[in-house]
């Protein structure tokens, strides 16, 4: 029998989410998460996945995963420090470090886990963290877990960051101070002002932490935002995920050897959660090998993104100021945004509506995620569907 208070809490809050239209409706896939997907028996052009380079369905990655399963089985069997570290994990970490131009790297079970692991392993209640107000939820949770004082600065506002860094330093109340930012912000596709952040960090002696979930495999010949700005060696923590451009699942921290040694000794998901499966690790190694030898898929990703952006812009849509392949189509009103997404779906295009509280009220949008594996024909079809739905809902003329 369920506790009455719990039942009341759940039914009231679930009801509230549903009446406000904030309850996530989940559409299970009946196919791979490729350039097209099958949902409820219908094939749709997929503009919603983070599979930037098409590697999630790449036959070479699949083959590596199959071979690893044949040799090692499906589960790692233990946490990293007991006997869940396979040679494969170390090979992946070595390759990630090379790929990111750092001394060392450590892999975790997800990008989300990385932020929980890394922030709390070095920051504590005597420290302060300067955090961009639009940072990802996993950064926010990682900061909270650390018990450090969290000081949010206005999104990419370097004057505000400088002022708050100076105040925090002058207060003299904190041991360590960290500045933490997404490399690429996932809702608008804008890139963090890393050169200025690194300057401010040098001036006020701040630890620098960049979560490059959306920059790795996309910017800086794949090495990410830090390399894109020529700042290799100047950022203490580089976080990446294996689940977006790399196409698999997992996350990693790349940095100095000493930092990685500390994370392997002290970060809790490394010590207390079963390690990445051999298949995930083997497929990730293959992805890093491919990206280290060719930037062709990255070039194709950018070309496809430019093509989609140009098509939507020509139709008169507001596509914001993205500096990366992330292509928002900003519609404003939440109800119109939801209806727009529903009509796209009815016409064969899967692109989710993103509304408050994920983005500010009145800035509802469809977030399009073009990938290297879309064909021009698919993109043309998607643009034509946008035109039809846009005119139907009188968003464009
Ligand atoms: N950080 C950022 C900036 C992200 O966008 C995401 C993915 N939504 C994550 C971390 C979490 O990564 P993962 O999906 O690998 O847990």
């Amino acid at each position: 029998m369920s506790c009455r208070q719990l039942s009341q809490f759940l039914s009231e809050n679930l009801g509230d989410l549903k009446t406000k239209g904030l309850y996530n409706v989940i559409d299970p896939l009946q196919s791979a998460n490729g350039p097209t997907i099958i949902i409820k028996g219908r094939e749709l052009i997929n503009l919603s996945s983070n599979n930037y380079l098409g590697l999630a369905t790449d036959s070479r990655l699949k083959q590596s995963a199959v071979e690893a399963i044949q040799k090692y089985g499906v589960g790692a069997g233990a946490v990293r420090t007991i006997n869940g570290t396979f040679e494969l994990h170390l090979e992946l970490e070595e390759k990630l470090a090379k790929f990111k131009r750092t001394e060392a790297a450590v892999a975790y079970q997800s990008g989300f886990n990385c932020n929980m692991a890394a922030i709390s392993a070095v920051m504590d209640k005597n420290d302060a963290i300067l955090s961009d107000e639009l940072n990802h939820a996993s950064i926010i949770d990682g900061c909270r877990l650390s018990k450090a004082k969290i000081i949010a600065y206005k999104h990419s506002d370097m004057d505000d960051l400088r002022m708050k860094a100076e105040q925090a330093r002058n207060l003299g109340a904190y041991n360590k101070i960290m500045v933490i930012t997404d490399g690429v912000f996932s809702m608008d596709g804008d890139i963090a002002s890393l050169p200025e952040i690194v300057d401010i960090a040098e001036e006020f002696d701040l630890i620098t932490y960049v979560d490059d979930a959306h920059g790795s495999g996309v910017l800086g010949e794949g090495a990410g935002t830090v390399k894109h700005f020529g700042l290799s060696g100047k950022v203490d923590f580089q976080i990446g995920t294996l689940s977006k451009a790399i196409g698999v699942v997992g996350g990693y921290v790349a940095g100095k050897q000493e930092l990685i040694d500390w994370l392997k000794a002290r970060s809790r998901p490394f010590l207390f959660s079963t390690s990445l499966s051999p298949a995930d690790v083997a497929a990730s190694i293959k992805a890093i090998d491919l990206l280290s030898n060719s930037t062709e898929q990255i070039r194709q990703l950018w070309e496809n993104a430019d093509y989609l952006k140009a098509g939507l812009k020509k139709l008169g849509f507001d596509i914001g100021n993205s500096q990366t392949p992330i292509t928002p189509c900003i519609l404003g009103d939440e109800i119109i945004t939801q209806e727009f997404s529903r009509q796209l779906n009815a016409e064969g295009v899967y692109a989710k509506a993103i509304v408050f509280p994920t983005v500010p009220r009145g800035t509802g949008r469809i977030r399009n995620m073009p990938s290297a594996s879309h064909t021009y024909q698919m993109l043309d079809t998607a643009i034509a569907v946008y035109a039809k739905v846009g005119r139907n809902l009188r968003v464009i003329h």
Side-chain angles (χ1 to χ4, degrees):
M1 199 174 91
S2 162
C3 163
R4 242 180 323 120
Q5 280 171 326
L6 174 63
S7 301
Q8 194 181 344
F9 168 84
L10 295 175
S11 68
E12 279 176 13
N13 285 288
L14 279 170
D16 191 43
L17 287 182
K18 285 176 185 165
T19 47
K20 287 182 180 152
L22 298 176
Y23 186 75
N24 287 321
V25 179
I26 291 171
D27 307 313
L29 303 191
Q30 297 163 319
S31 66
N33 203 341
T36 63
I37 46 179
I38 299 175
I39 291 176
K40 293 187 187 142
R42 295 172 59 234
E43 187 173 15
L44 305 163
I45 294 170
N46 175 20
L47 287 175
S48 276
S49 104
N50 298 311
N51 176 23
Y52 284 109
L53 302 174
L55 292 175
T57 53
D58 189 287
S59 57
R60 296 161 292 185
L61 271 70
K62 287 198 258 183
Q63 183 59 31
S64 294
V66 168
E67 284 166 16
I69 287 174
Q70 298 297 1
K71 183 164 177 189
Y72 300 107
V74 290
V79 304
R80 289 289 300 268
T81 46
I82 302 207
N83 67 354
T85 296
F86 294 55
E87 286 179 332
L88 279 179
H89 290 90
L90 301 185
E91 183 185 342
L92 173 64
E93 288 169 346
E94 232 169 74
K95 290 190 162 160
L96 282 169
K98 234 185 226 154
F99 187 60
K100 298 294 287 186
R101 279 74 167 169
T102 57
E103 286 176 16
V106 50
Y108 290 94
Q109 301 84 350
S110 74
F112 201 104
N113 233 355
C114 268
N115 284 324
M116 306 298 282
I119 303 170
S120 61
V122 293
M123 303 302 279
D124 63 34
K125 63 181 181 0
N126 301 309
D127 300 326
I129 302 174
L130 296 152
S131 176
D132 189 292
E133 65 181 347
L134 293 191
N135 276 343
H136 188 255
S138 56
I139 296 179
I140 296 169
D141 288 4
C143 291
R144 286 180 182 153
L145 190 63
S146 76
K147 299 198 174 73
K149 167 82 178 165
I150 301 165
I151 305 166
Y153 62 90
K154 288 190 200 129
H155 175 53
S156 281
D157 183 333
M158 294 298 105
D159 292 335
D160 196 41
L161 172 61
R162 171 180 294 280
M163 188 186 72
K164 286 176 173 157
E166 191 168 10
Q167 276 173 356
R169 203 31 102 202
N170 288 345
L171 204 59
Y174 306 116
N175 283 346
K176 303 186 282 310
I177 307 179
M178 173 184 272
V179 55
I180 181 160
T181 183
D182 278 19
V184 172
F185 290 88
S186 60
M187 293 303 145
D188 289 294
D190 52 324
I191 305 175
S193 306
L194 277 194
E196 288 95 329
I197 291 175
V198 166
D199 281 349
I200 294 170
E202 277 174 7
E203 190 177 341
F204 297 102
D205 194 21
L206 314 178
I207 301 165
T208 44
Y209 187 114
V210 177
D211 177 346
D212 215 16
H214 288 274
S216 296
V218 174
L219 288 164
E221 286 153 0
T225 312
V226 172
K227 162 89 174 9
H228 167 75
F229 284 118
L231 295 169
S232 299
K234 296 201 166 178
V235 169
D236 297 304
F237 288 76
Q238 290 192 58
I239 309 306
T241 172
L242 301 170
S243 35
K244 300 191 194 294
I246 301 302
V248 190
V249 72
Y252 58 91
V253 183
K256 290 241 159 70
Q257 185 67 55
E258 209 175 23
L259 170 65
I260 303 308
D261 289 347
W262 176 250
L263 294 177
K264 286 189 169 185
R266 272 291 176 268
S267 63
R268 293 168 72 81
F270 191 87
L271 300 172
F272 298 114
S273 180
T274 297
S275 52
L276 277 173
S277 80
D280 293 328
V281 177
S284 299
I285 290 172
K286 180 54 88 179
I288 301 292
D289 284 346
L290 294 174
L291 295 183
S292 302
N293 289 323
S294 165
T295 50
E296 173 51 28
Q297 270 146 313
I298 299 174
R299 193 197 54 73
Q300 190 63 57
L301 164 68
W302 283 86
E303 233 177 80
N304 285 356
D306 287 346
Y307 191 82
L308 180 65
K309 280 180 183 168
L312 295 180
K313 201 168 175 183
K314 197 164 159 214
L315 288 171
F317 286 107
D318 174 4
I319 58 162
N321 298 306
S322 173
Q323 299 165 285
T324 59
I326 295 168
T327 306
C329 179
I330 300 163
L331 300 165
D333 181 80
E334 282 76 16
I335 309 261
I336 296 225
T337 308
Q338 300 280 17
E339 180 57 17
F340 203 104
S341 173
R342 202 193 59 69
Q343 291 195 18
L344 286 176
N345 191 317
E347 297 289 337
V349 173
Y350 193 84
K352 282 287 241 194
I354 313 260
V355 294
F356 179 81
T358 310
V359 292
R361 252 184 240 286
T363 69
R365 71 208 46 203
I366 308 290
R367 188 179 59 152
N368 300 287
M369 303 294 274
S371 97
S373 57
H374 286 111
T375 61
Y376 289 115
Q377 197 184 359
M378 289 173 195
L379 296 174
D380 282 337
T381 306
I383 292 165
V385 167
Y386 257 89
K388 181 171 177 191
V389 174
R391 288 187 188 116
N392 202 21
L393 291 174
R394 297 175 197 280
V395 175
I396 54 165
H397 305 288

